[in-house]
Amino acid sequence: MNIYFTSPPRYLFLCASCLALLSHEVKAVTHSKWALSQFQKDLFQEDSAANNSVDLIYFRSKKSTTTTSSSVVKGADIARTPVVPFPLAITGRLAGLQVSQGSGQPLNEGFSFNLRGQAPLVLIDGIPRNLTEIGNDEIESITVLKDAVSTAMLGIRGSGGAIVVTTKKGLENSQQINFTSQFGTQRPTKNLITQPLDSYQYATLYNEALGNDGLSVLSNGFSPQTLAGYQDGSDPFKYPNVNWQDEVLRKSSSYSRYNLNTRGGGKFAKYFVNLEHTNQEGIFKTDEINKYNTNASGKNYFMRSNLDMQINDKLSAGIYIQGRILNRNEPGVRFSSNNIFSALTNTPRGAYPIFNADNSYGGSSLYQNNIVAQSISSGYSVFYNRTVLSDFNIKRTLNEILPGLWVKARASFFSNLGENIVRNKTFATFEHVGSNPTTGAAIYRQYGTTSQTSNTNFVDFQNRSDFQELSFGYSTKFKKNHAFNGLLLANRDNLISGTNITSNLPYTIQGISGHGDYNFKEKYMFEFSFGWNGANRNPPDGKFNYGFFPAVGLGWDISKEEFMQKSVWINQLKLYGSYGKTGRDNGDYFTYIQSFNTTRGITLGSTAGGATGRVETGLANPNTTWEKADKLNIGFKSAFLNESLSFSVEYYSNSLYDLKITRGNNSSLLGIDFPTENIGKERYRGVETELFWSKQTKKLGYSIGINASFQNSKSIFSDEPNLKYDYMERTGKRIGQRFGYTAEGLYQSQADIDNSSKIEGYKPQPGDIKYKDLNDDGLINQFDINAIGTTKPLILTGMQLGLNFKGFNLSAFLQGIFNREIYLSGDSYFAFQNSGRGQAFEHHQNRWTSATAATATYPRLSTGAGPNNGNPNNQAVSSFWLSKGNYVRVKYLEFGYTVPGSITNKIKLKNTRLFINALNPLSFNSKTLKDVDPEEFTGAYPIQKVYTLGLTIQL
């Protein structure tokens, strides 16, 4: 294995660590009889400054005086969550943020962000990063910024909001050495709504489907002899009934995580050094015949060194370095895991035996790719992802010029390399087709060939970025009651990505931005932010075209008024609001320049085929620019009973405009693609609320926190083509609204068909889906397509519970989604996909027949063949396939015990804690989902339930 760490970062990492340790001043620490509260403060909570502040884009602001919309989760709350990408640890914890997971494959989880309907930008220590894999113990806090004031400084990257990750820093006059060990097991959640049928059930339904299609069962289906063979299982080679998931997948796999970090420092330097390793095994079975690993597993290594130095009274500096190695293994070629799960979904149990009587791999003309062979006999692939980032800053106070004035410069370098090593080989499968009449020996037909392992290495991607920033800040208090903070900065972010970064064009964003806030007695607050920047992907001629994005915020803490001072139980009653303009750069290179491709075969006169000409590749848009959003946010925050009870509610309205879309009213007569233009408009509105209550006595403490988000959206302008009926329009509907036919149940008889509107181009049968004739013209066609599905706002919820008694503590976190609809379709739900070769499932048992007409929940069966080319009517997009997808998931559960200090002190340990936790242990789903995983139910790599036992020691 080659590790592409360059020399300077490696030496800086080591030097920073050594310098920090040498500069440390050790002081004695006293221990209480019960170490729980001190342990939590030292090990799992931020310092008091962090608890009273919020991390904004480029600075930290006091919570009580900011007018921004933000939500914060502490690093302590996610430190031991058994996931690698930190977004999976904050699912449901932050109001307004939705994190969806599409896979459980190690280091390939397929997750996505959605913050108030948009994709947020991720910043780590104030610098934009395309990085979501970071050691959980590195994180001090994660802040989600949603409104215009908090994101305006990002300029053309501010419309989607921001997720700000702040890493841990050193502690002055203190030392901590922390070690955490976690190991356990993980089990896959159910990834199909209903299970595949066995061979006999499958064959029976297939014969029925052939009859429905008007095809001969005798010629195309399963004979009575075959049905009997499947039913009695007398010859598993000739009549197989293979449970493919049991043959290929493990019931459980292992998980382990180890972390060692130290933080401390003295007056000269403060340091935080972190080392972390996680090993997550996959769920594919392996075989001893291989000397290599064919499982889908993942390993990662994180290394971080954060060093802050106070060089003298006026000059300070910081060096933050991280190294990351992620290794992912798969059977066969790249994405082979996805192919295996696709085969598990599509292959019937009676397709072929795993092995023939002669121990060769089974197969057939229709199913030539044996699933077990794909898993253990197709070689393996390893994907290496290596990252090095280094941040440097130096700050100088300028009090001699103006008290409270300072200047700061910082630079950052980021390098990311993905490399694939593929050791692939092929295998042959064999189908038993008869016996030799003379010898009686079995005769097999071969499909494919067996080959030796091939060796391929290639670079999958490279990312390299550099970031520079110069900032001036000023902070002052005057006449005791007035406070002002100001920040002005200029920065440049340059990114080159692709398989060959030496030839790829850079993407550069640069400009200036600023922020100022004023408060009077922390009672009246005013904030303003602005960004003035641009990117090199917009005209003119690739030069920077700058845009201005301002925002203002106002706040009033009513509890600071004199008439409220007698209400000692009220700690805060704050009204606040903000309004501003943000941007989003959504451009590609040179779309503003008309381009041409060379082509041959042009006819000139009587000569054909030899002439060369130029052909337009698509119309250019010389006026392309960034997208914009006007954001309004109004909120109320309160705290009572010495801040034991807190409550907040916010309303937001985000109007997006100049969105890049292609005109609907265009003409194909032009013979060329129309460009995207800045003409689209959308609006997102919603309400977010949070409630928290906590109480702590000498022995007992408990807390409960709830957040809920109500999100809705609307398409204001999408330049649709001229539509015949208003109900067909997308404009005015929700963003992402599904359109299709409105189902009215199933045709029950031929008389029902005769008395209903005719389906254009299709002759229905009893058991087919019947659709509503919206325009009453007697025909079902494209003019009967309208919006289907709910119009209620999407509701996101989260709940955290905490309980501690003496040294014991219990914590739980629940996450839920309501008014969610899922669309059931595709290979994992429809019967006999892939031209009749696909699987059938348990829910197909309740298909329509003349006997089940009154209770059927699935249309009549079809093989996808026959005079009607299968059944395009039943698989058309319609409300018939929409179902509720609501769920509440117990996302995280932990029980722990902290050993009393009277015991740990004797062995020179500050604190020792044992814990057991679980990730995704339980879900409460809608009736449709039953006990299936609510996020991944299509048959892909299942999301995992992870159970670990852990130990944390502080020296």
Side-chain angles (χ1 to χ4, degrees):
M1 178 180 66
N2 297 320
I3 303 176
Y4 291 95
F5 289 127
T6 57
S7 295
R10 179 178 59 185
Y11 292 145
L12 285 170
F13 178 85
L14 296 174
C15 292
S17 305
C18 294
L19 182 59
L21 290 170
L22 289 172
S23 67
H24 175 68
E25 298 176 1
V26 180
K27 290 194 173 183
V29 179
T30 60
H31 302 277
S32 62
K33 181 178 180 181
W34 294 101
L36 174 62
S37 60
Q38 185 62 41
F39 172 69
Q40 290 176 327
K41 289 180 181 179
D42 288 348
L43 189 55
F44 296 128
Q45 295 183 355
E46 307 103 305
D47 55 32
S48 58
N51 286 324
N52 294 318
S53 60
V54 58
D55 291 301
L56 299 178
I57 302 296
Y58 300 112
F59 61 98
R60 177 171 279 180
S61 181
K62 194 173 182 180
K63 283 183 180 180
S64 60
T65 60
T66 183
T67 66
T68 61
S69 173
S70 61
S71 298
V72 183
V73 60
K74 296 181 291 185
D77 294 332
I78 63 174
R80 295 168 304 280
T81 308
V83 296
V84 175
F86 75 82
L88 298 182
I90 61 175
T91 303
R93 293 182 182 271
L94 300 165
L97 178 67
Q98 181 181 4
V99 183
S100 302
Q101 183 178 356
S103 172
Q105 184 176 351
L107 304 183
N108 191 28
E109 291 84 358
F111 63 88
S112 61
F113 287 123
N114 187 297
L115 179 60
R116 292 184 174 180
Q118 304 296 305
L121 181 69
V122 175
L123 299 99
I124 298 180
D125 288 330
I127 299 176
R129 298 289 190 201
N130 184 20
L131 184 69
T132 52
E133 291 87 6
I134 181 172
N136 286 348
D137 267 296
E138 299 178 27
I139 298 173
E140 176 186 319
S141 65
I142 298 175
T143 305
V144 172
L145 306 177
K146 314 168 196 177
D147 70 325
V149 168
S150 62
T151 59
M153 294 181 71
L154 292 172
I156 60 173
R157 291 190 286 189
S159 286
I163 297 176
V164 179
V165 180
T166 302
T167 61
K168 293 178 180 178
K169 307 301 187 296
L171 302 172
E172 186 174 347
N173 298 326
S174 178
Q175 182 186 24
Q176 294 179 0
I177 300 176
N178 307 308
F179 173 74
T180 299
S181 173
Q182 283 179 261
F183 60 92
T185 184
Q186 50 190 2
R187 299 178 62 86
T189 59
K190 187 178 175 183
N191 68 344
L192 283 172
I193 287 183
T194 56
Q195 293 302 301
L197 297 176
D198 65 29
S199 298
Y200 174 74
Q201 294 169 325
Y202 175 90
T204 301
L205 294 191
Y206 191 87
N207 284 351
E208 179 183 312
L210 287 172
N212 291 340
D213 292 337
L215 298 175
S216 170
V217 175
L218 182 63
S219 303
N220 303 286
F222 296 89
S223 66
Q225 179 184 358
T226 302
L227 290 174
Y230 283 142
Q231 192 170 26
D232 62 32
S234 57
D235 188 348
F237 296 109
K238 190 174 182 179
Y239 306 111
N241 183 26
V242 183
N243 188 325
W244 292 109
Q245 291 204 9
D246 287 350
E247 296 297 333
V248 175
L249 304 180
R250 300 178 178 181
K251 299 297 184 182
S252 63
S253 56
S254 63
Y255 173 91
S256 61
R257 171 181 174 266
Y258 305 94
N259 178 270
L260 176 65
N261 67 72
T262 179
R263 64 191 306 193
K267 293 183 178 180
F268 172 67
K270 296 182 295 183
Y271 63 88
F272 171 75
V273 179
N274 184 73
L275 301 173
E276 185 169 319
H277 167 59
T278 302
N279 184 7
Q280 186 175 3
E281 288 294 321
I283 58 173
F284 290 127
K285 291 182 178 180
T286 56
D287 197 288
E288 295 180 354
I289 63 172
N290 296 318
K291 296 181 179 180
Y292 47 81
N293 182 20
T294 59
N295 199 356
S297 56
K299 296 181 180 180
N300 68 74
Y301 306 85
F302 297 109
M303 297 151 282
R304 173 174 286 275
S305 171
N306 288 349
L307 175 64
D308 292 285
M309 296 172 289
Q310 189 66 48
I311 300 173
N312 55 43
D313 292 340
K314 299 179 179 180
L315 189 64
S316 60
I319 303 174
Y320 311 144
I321 298 171
Q322 188 206 44
R324 182 190 70 165
I325 301 174
L326 305 181
N327 299 338
R328 182 163 60 89
N329 197 87
E330 281 198 83
V333 296
R334 188 184 183 194
F335 304 132
S336 183
S337 295
N338 296 338
N339 296 334
I340 291 174
F341 276 99
S342 178
L344 289 173
T345 303
N346 284 285
T347 306
R349 292 188 176 184
Y352 51 83
I354 305 172
F355 298 101
N356 295 306
D358 63 351
N359 287 326
S360 62
Y361 283 121
S364 70
S365 59
L366 295 179
Y367 308 95
Q368 299 182 15
N369 211 357
N370 186 292
I371 303 178
V372 172
Q374 288 183 63
S375 178
I376 63 174
S377 296
S378 61
Y380 70 101
S381 301
V382 183
F383 313 106
Y384 297 108
N385 189 334
R386 308 173 184 89
T387 301
V388 175
L389 66 87
S390 52
D391 302 340
F392 310 92
N393 69 77
I394 186 167
K395 182 179 179 180
R396 171 68 155 81
T397 61
L398 301 174
N399 293 328
E400 64 272 23
I401 301 175
L402 180 66
L405 183 66
W406 53 264
V407 61
K408 182 178 180 180
R410 65 174 172 173
S412 176
F413 303 94
F414 172 85
S415 179
N416 182 216
L417 172 68
E419 182 181 9
N420 292 341
I421 298 177
V422 179
R423 303 291 184 257
N424 183 44
K425 65 180 182 179
T426 62
F427 55 86
T429 59
F430 299 85
E431 180 182 15
H432 182 255
V433 294
S435 301
N436 187 303
T438 304
T439 64
I443 300 175
Y444 294 97
R445 181 180 293 125
Q446 180 175 341
Y447 304 102
T449 59
T450 300
S451 69
Q452 297 297 318
T453 303
S454 63
N455 299 312
T456 306
N457 292 32
F458 59 93
V459 173
D460 188 37
F461 64 87
Q462 296 183 74
N463 294 315
R464 184 177 298 169
S465 69
D466 57 272
F467 179 89
Q468 304 87 36
E469 181 179 277
L470 178 66
S471 58
F472 291 88
Y474 176 62
S475 180
T476 185
K477 289 186 177 181
F478 52 97
K479 296 183 179 180
K480 295 185 179 180
N481 297 323
H482 303 269
F484 174 78
N485 297 284
L487 177 69
L488 181 66
L489 59 85
N491 57 30
R492 174 182 180 274
D493 189 12
N494 183 63
L495 171 67
I496 304 176
S497 62
T499 56
N500 187 353
I501 59 176
T502 60
S503 60
N504 286 4
L505 296 172
Y507 177 41
T508 307
I509 296 176
Q510 64 184 33
I512 62 175
S513 57
H515 177 88
D517 63 79
Y518 161 82
N519 73 79
F520 174 71
K521 294 184 177 181
E522 296 189 359
K523 179 167 54 175
Y524 307 116
M525 291 149 268
F526 171 74
E527 282 188 273
F528 67 90
S529 299
F530 76 91
W532 185 74
N533 63 7
N536 62 344
R537 290 184 174 178
N538 295 303
D541 302 327
K543 298 178 181 179
F544 289 89
N545 188 7
Y546 295 92
F548 183 65
F549 305 94
V552 295
L554 295 173
W556 176 30
D557 193 340
I558 305 172
S559 61
K560 298 292 178 67
E561 296 288 354
E562 291 185 7
F563 62 83
M564 295 292 294
Q565 298 310 304
K566 293 183 180 180
S567 302
V568 294
W569 57 279
I570 299 177
N571 304 114
Q572 186 182 50
L573 289 174
K574 185 170 78 170
L575 294 171
Y576 58 96
S578 65
Y579 182 79
K581 175 182 176 182
T582 59
R584 179 176 66 180
D585 188 43
N586 190 23
D588 295 319
Y589 280 112
F590 308 129
T591 56
Y592 49 85
I593 298 176
Q594 187 61 57
S595 59
F596 300 85
N597 278 345
T598 301
T599 185
R600 293 183 58 83
I602 296 176
T603 300
L604 298 175
S606 59
T607 303
T612 301
R614 302 283 183 181
V615 176
E616 291 176 314
T617 58
L619 288 180
N621 178 9
N623 300 313
T624 185
T625 185
W626 46 81
E627 301 173 340
K628 306 171 186 70
D630 290 334
K631 291 187 172 184
L632 171 68
N633 193 89
I634 300 174
F636 168 75
K637 288 184 179 181
S638 59
F640 310 95
L641 304 175
N642 198 25
E643 298 189 353
S644 294
L645 174 66
S646 61
F647 172 74
S648 68
V649 61
E650 287 186 354
Y651 165 81
Y652 67 89
S653 178
N654 298 338
S655 297
L656 282 65
Y657 60 101
D658 285 351
L659 303 180
K660 290 189 175 181
I661 62 173
T662 302
R663 290 187 180 273
N665 287 303
N666 57 50
S667 174
S668 59
L669 295 176
L670 188 62
I672 194 172
D673 293 335
F674 276 65
T676 58
E677 300 178 70
N678 297 95
I679 57 175
K681 295 181 180 180
E682 298 174 352
R683 184 172 64 220
Y684 295 82
R685 288 177 174 173
V687 174
E688 297 168 0
T689 182
E690 295 181 272
L691 175 68
F692 184 78
W693 166 259
S694 65
K695 187 69 175 178
Q696 182 70 51
T697 64
K698 290 183 179 181
K699 294 183 178 181
L700 177 67
Y702 60 92
S703 64
I704 179 172
I706 302 172
N707 72 75
S709 306
F710 303 82
Q711 302 180 357
N712 218 333
S713 60
K714 186 177 182 179
S715 174
I716 306 300
F717 180 75
S718 58
D719 196 63
E720 298 181 85
N722 296 324
L723 299 171
K724 192 172 182 179
Y725 302 101
D726 292 343
Y727 58 76
M728 300 174 64
E729 293 180 354
R730 269 68 171 170
T731 301
K733 306 298 191 303
R734 294 176 61 179
I735 308 302
Q737 177 73 54
R738 194 179 299 273
F739 277 73
Y741 296 100
T742 299
E744 294 187 310
L746 304 174
Y747 291 113
Q748 297 300 316
S749 63
Q750 187 60 47
D752 190 6
I753 295 173
D754 294 339
N755 294 325
S756 301
S757 298
K758 307 304 178 185
I759 299 176
E760 194 170 74
Y762 180 80
K763 185 178 180 180
Q765 297 181 31
D768 283 335
I769 301 175
K770 179 168 61 174
Y771 300 116
K772 187 175 182 179
D773 186 1
L774 297 180
N775 58 358
D776 292 323
D777 64 352
L779 286 176
I780 303 297
N781 54 24
Q782 70 271 24
F783 298 117
D784 297 298
I785 293 176
N786 70 328
I788 57 175
T790 183
T791 58
K792 297 178 181 179
L794 182 69
I795 302 176
L796 310 175
T797 62
M799 176 184 291
Q800 58 182 2
L801 305 169
L803 176 67
N804 65 76
F805 177 72
K806 293 186 176 181
F808 297 94
N809 62 83
L810 175 68
S811 60
F813 184 78
L814 289 76
Q815 169 247 341
I817 299 180
F818 300 91
N819 293 337
R820 170 182 180 244
E821 287 185 324
I822 57 176
Y823 193 79
L824 303 174
S825 64
D827 295 350
S828 63
Y829 197 78
F830 289 155
F832 310 123
Q833 293 294 287
N834 297 322
S835 300
R837 292 177 292 172
Q839 183 60 275
F841 301 89
E842 287 179 352
H843 65 274
H844 297 137
Q845 299 273 39
N846 200 28
R847 78 288 185 196
W848 187 96
T849 66
S850 57
T852 64
T855 60
T857 57
Y858 192 90
R860 70 177 181 90
L861 296 175
S862 173
T863 63
N868 281 324
N869 289 322
N871 202 321
N873 177 79
N874 290 350
Q875 294 186 11
V877 178
S878 77
S879 60
F880 189 89
W881 305 111
L882 279 174
S883 294
K884 291 183 178 180
N886 303 335
Y887 71 89
V888 174
R889 163 171 268 171
V890 179
K891 190 67 181 178
Y892 185 72
L893 185 65
E894 181 175 287
F895 176 74
Y897 175 68
T898 301
V899 181
S902 58
I903 298 176
T904 58
N905 290 347
K906 295 178 181 179
I907 53 176
K908 308 300 182 182
L909 297 179
K910 290 182 180 178
N911 290 289
T912 300
R913 181 172 184 266
L914 297 168
F915 61 90
I916 183 171
N917 60 28
L919 180 72
N920 302 322
L922 186 64
S923 295
F924 303 93
N925 302 337
S926 62
K927 184 178 179 181
T928 301
L929 291 168
K930 298 180 182 178
D931 59 343
V932 74
D933 190 282
E935 293 185 88
E936 172 37 55
F937 48 84
T938 63
Y941 198 111
I943 294 173
Q944 302 294 299
K945 299 180 180 180
V946 186
Y947 304 89
T948 70
L949 177 67
L951 169 68
T952 297
I953 298 173
Q954 185 182 98
L955 303 176

